[in-house]
Amino acid sequence: MQTRIISWDNTKGYEPSELREAAKILRSGGLVAFPTETVYGLGCDGLNEEAAAKVYEAKGRPGDNPLILHISERDELTPLVEEIPPMAEKLMDTFWPGPMTLIFRKSDKVPTRITGGLNTVAIRMPAHAGARELIREAGIPIAAPSANISGRPSPTKGEHVKEDLDGKVGMIIDGGDVGIGYESTIIDMTGLRPVILRPGFITKEMIEEVIGTFGDEGIPEAGITPDDEAPKAPGMKYRHYAPEAELTVVRGDEEEARIKIDELARQYPEEKVGILTTDERKELYGYGVVLSIGSFKENTLGHSLYSSLREFDHLGVTRIFAETFFGNEQEDALMNRLMKAAGGQVVDLVDYNKVIFVCKENVIMSPMAEWIMRSIVMDKSIEICSRGLVVLFSEPISQKAIDLLASHGVPCEEQSSRLLRQEDIDEHTLVITMNFTEKVKVVEEFDLTEHVYTLREFVGFEDDVADPYGGDEEAYEALYLELKDLLYRMKKRLGWQ
Ligand code: TXA
Ligand code: MG
């Protein structure tokens, strides 16, 4: 098949006749690849089963992996779905058009060929002007998966689409570089509470600001769902976003990771080795092909993740070592893509088997951190405890803290404050303090050079956790919520189950 290539440009838009031609191809059951603000999509008539079959064929995509329907206006949604939950309305008011896909119960209009046999349908209104104009001109919902060969990194430039699909589709619209660089957030709105099926640029925090908190089980862990397990998001079970090179994620403290990556890279002198980092840290590496996923400071992390993965392939890199990318708003989305590209292959720098939470007196903050962490870490081979730095007389945990934990259903056994001692710590121990002063004290008193962090620092934030001592109930409640959020992040960062 001869693929026609046209262009769309942010200032000039479309050549009108070319836009009409693109819309015509779509209406007559053909395939058109087009840019969106996340990644390029491979579009077809979303209500036409035969057209959908062509999409699966061109991508080499398994037929049970459903497609997202793209619309240009809100009123196009109603005929496609059975109901619109009030929470979905709120989310659409805030984030549409934009990088957010919602799952609804589908109407009879939507063929099950599009939804992989499910009775639900994924719908998104992209913010990209060229994408919306195309959908509007076509006058039909456009089903569009990312415009890559199944399993390859999603395309973020016109050239990527040509690489994968030239000769297999009717038309490619080259709109240059996309803005975000990774796929939309997918939220299932069909249950009692929303569930994030795929993290994206719109984060859990941003969603909760609009509809309130909705629990922590809502994000599937990064990595690959075992084949025999029925996944919530059908796409999650396949290896994804993968470069041809073997990709290994090196997890640990930034500086330790850099040293380890450098060492690992030099172990393969016969191979071309790639290193994946951020703009800010690129020049710290003195070996290998060093590429970036974007800038931490300019808040463009992820923008060049996929293009760098493709670039490694072009350069003949056969082995890639990647840093982890925590401590930024989109960390869930980035780590999810990275872990999938790595097929779960991770080098853990330190194998912690024990964490000690430390605060001054070990009666409020550190015991709370201990018991919340115990309630969220399922791996029983990890020891979790808490200690104090100034414990003259052993005291029971504060009643306020116990009541607070109980009100959130966190079990907490009776225990008394204990002083942190040298024998509590070995090389597999992670010491987490609540504030910077405590950290300094631990470092000095126990002569520790590593594996001591403040809790906020460990997950990439600045400042200290606020001490509620002497505060009212609200202060305690705020502490609980902050600790819980930070401890979930900590668990994620450690890769613990
Ligand atoms: O940003 C994006 O979402 C891009 C652009 C082109 O819009 N599209 C995209 O499509 O990433 P795709 O097909 O590569 O990923 C769609 C994901 C798949 O993992 C699929 O399993 C999931 O959405 N999905 C689609 N319909 C679903 C449904 N009814 N229930 C659960 N998951 C669904
Ligand atoms: Mg995809």
Side-chain angles (χ1 to χ4, degrees):
M1 179 191 294
Q2 176 81 15
T3 298
R4 180 124 151 73
I5 297 184
I6 67 163
S7 64
W8 174 91
D9 174 298
N10 200 12
T11 45
K12 286 187 241 117
Y14 288 102
E15 181 68 44
S17 64
E18 289 179 345
L19 173 63
R20 285 195 297 275
E21 199 186 325
K24 203 169 137 203
I25 295 176
L26 288 168
R27 277 195 304 269
S28 55
L31 307 187
V32 176
F34 62 97
T36 83
E37 73 276 25
T38 55
V39 300
Y40 276 76
L42 174 57
C44 74
D45 178 348
L47 304 179
N48 176 341
E49 305 210 355
E50 279 162 40
K54 291 184 201 162
V55 166
Y56 285 99
E57 156 121 42
K59 273 181 68 85
R61 177 172 178 135
D64 64 345
N65 195 359
L67 307 179
I68 297 175
L69 289 185
H70 295 65
I71 58 176
S72 67
E73 296 300 334
R74 263 288 272 284
D75 55 16
E76 295 160 24
L77 173 67
T78 321
L80 303 174
V81 302
E82 201 142 89
E83 58 178 352
I84 303 177
M87 270 188 188
E89 297 270 10
K90 283 193 184 166
L91 291 176
M92 293 186 290
D93 286 343
T94 313
F95 299 116
W96 272 8
M100 176 187 77
T101 298
L102 297 182
I103 312 268
F104 299 91
R105 282 179 207 293
K106 78 172 195 70
S107 73
D108 294 338
K109 265 191 101 166
V110 180
T112 46
R113 187 79 184 86
I114 300 282
T115 66
L118 299 171
N119 58 8
T120 56
V121 61
I123 304 198
R124 158 160 134 82
M125 188 200 292
H128 191 282
R132 280 179 82 194
E133 222 180 313
L134 175 68
I135 302 164
R136 195 176 299 126
E137 180 74 22
I140 43 177
I142 302 296
S146 49
N148 52 285
I149 298 285
S150 202
R152 300 265 299 138
S154 300
T156 61
K157 297 172 193 290
E159 295 92 275
H160 299 162
V161 183
K162 289 174 211 163
E163 236 168 66
D164 282 14
L165 297 177
D166 197 9
K168 295 184 178 170
V169 303
M171 183 184 265
I172 293 173
I173 301 172
D174 189 339
D177 209 350
V178 300
I180 292 175
Y182 49 93
E183 306 83 348
S184 61
T185 308
I186 303 182
I187 315 166
D188 185 351
M189 302 303 294
T190 62
L192 287 175
R193 58 180 187 80
V195 178
I196 297 178
L197 298 182
R198 179 174 73 186
F201 183 83
I202 308 281
T203 62
K204 183 163 186 283
E205 288 72 27
M206 289 153 84
I207 296 164
E208 289 190 331
E209 230 168 82
V210 177
I211 56 171
T213 52
F214 55 86
D216 299 284
E217 306 92 77
I219 300 182
E221 294 291 333
I224 288 190
T225 316
D227 266 334
D228 51 2
E229 202 173 295
K232 256 304 236 180
M236 296 291 178
K237 71 179 174 189
Y238 301 105
R239 185 163 185 236
H240 256 88
Y241 323 123
E244 273 148 33
E246 188 171 307
L247 171 63
T248 304
V249 175
V250 179
R251 187 159 49 193
D253 172 78
E254 270 191 351
E255 187 48 21
E256 288 171 26
R258 185 189 66 76
I259 293 166
K260 186 69 183 178
I261 287 172
D262 191 71
E263 180 194 315
L264 287 168
R266 288 173 202 267
Q267 283 172 12
Y268 300 92
E270 263 90 75
E271 287 183 53
K272 205 161 183 185
V273 178
I275 291 168
L276 193 59
T277 178
T278 58
D279 286 359
E280 283 77 15
R281 296 176 52 77
K282 256 180 101 165
E283 66 271 27
L284 298 178
Y285 288 92
Y287 186 83
V289 176
V290 187
L291 295 180
S292 156
I293 70 158
S295 159
F296 190 84
K297 268 199 218 113
E298 284 162 35
N299 209 11
T300 61
L301 284 188
H303 172 261
S304 30
L305 170 62
Y306 289 143
S307 56
S308 289
L309 291 179
R310 279 181 185 255
E311 184 69 14
F312 282 131
D313 285 346
H314 294 157
L315 295 170
V317 166
T318 51
R319 200 174 283 277
I320 304 166
F321 296 101
E323 294 180 350
T324 51
F325 305 102
F326 288 107
N328 63 90
E329 269 194 287
Q330 277 77 29
E331 64 178 26
D332 283 338
L334 299 177
M335 288 307 296
N336 169 278
R337 305 310 191 275
L338 187 66
M339 294 303 269
K340 285 193 173 203
Q345 192 157 283
V346 178
V347 170
D348 271 310
L349 284 183
V350 206
D351 208 2
Y352 294 118
N353 57 18
K354 178 178 181 180
V355 49
I356 309 180
F357 293 102
V358 174
C359 67
K360 196 168 160 205
E361 292 169 326
N362 191 215
V363 289
I364 303 175
M365 306 224 310
S366 62
M368 278 180 65
E370 171 187 346
W371 287 97
I372 298 170
M373 198 63 161
R374 282 174 186 257
S375 73
I376 62 182
V377 172
M378 299 301 144
D379 183 346
K380 295 298 169 221
S381 67
I382 296 160
E383 189 186 338
I384 298 163
C385 64
S386 65
R387 295 287 186 269
L389 293 169
V390 185
V391 181
L392 299 178
F393 308 97
S394 197
E395 281 181 78
I397 306 184
S398 128
Q399 191 57 44
K400 257 187 168 157
I402 295 175
D403 294 346
L404 181 60
L405 290 173
S407 76
H408 288 280
V410 175
C412 158
E413 286 161 24
E414 265 178 43
Q415 69 185 33
S416 301
S417 58
R418 292 174 67 178
L419 188 67
L420 180 66
R421 294 176 192 282
Q422 190 71 58
E423 57 265 31
D424 293 324
I425 304 167
D426 69 20
E427 75 269 26
H428 296 287
T429 307
L430 173 60
V431 181
I432 297 289
T433 67
M434 299 298 124
N435 65 43
F436 187 70
T437 317
E438 292 155 3
K439 175 182 162 179
V440 172
K441 192 151 182 236
V442 172
V443 167
E444 286 174 353
E445 200 165 313
F446 299 94
D447 203 17
L448 292 178
T449 51
E450 49 184 17
H451 311 165
V452 189
Y453 303 86
T454 77
L455 178 54
R456 289 183 58 89
E457 169 190 42
F458 190 75
V459 299
F461 295 156
E462 290 176 353
D463 303 329
D464 295 333
V465 178
D467 189 341
Y469 183 75
D472 57 7
E473 262 171 39
E474 251 172 59
Y476 277 81
E477 181 66 21
L479 171 69
Y480 171 80
L481 292 175
E482 180 176 7
L483 285 178
K484 190 170 148 194
D485 175 61
L486 294 171
L487 293 168
Y488 263 99
R489 288 173 192 271
M490 181 175 154
K491 175 184 151 198
K492 218 165 17 179
R493 174 149 199 178
L494 286 161
W496 286 353
Q497 296 303 309

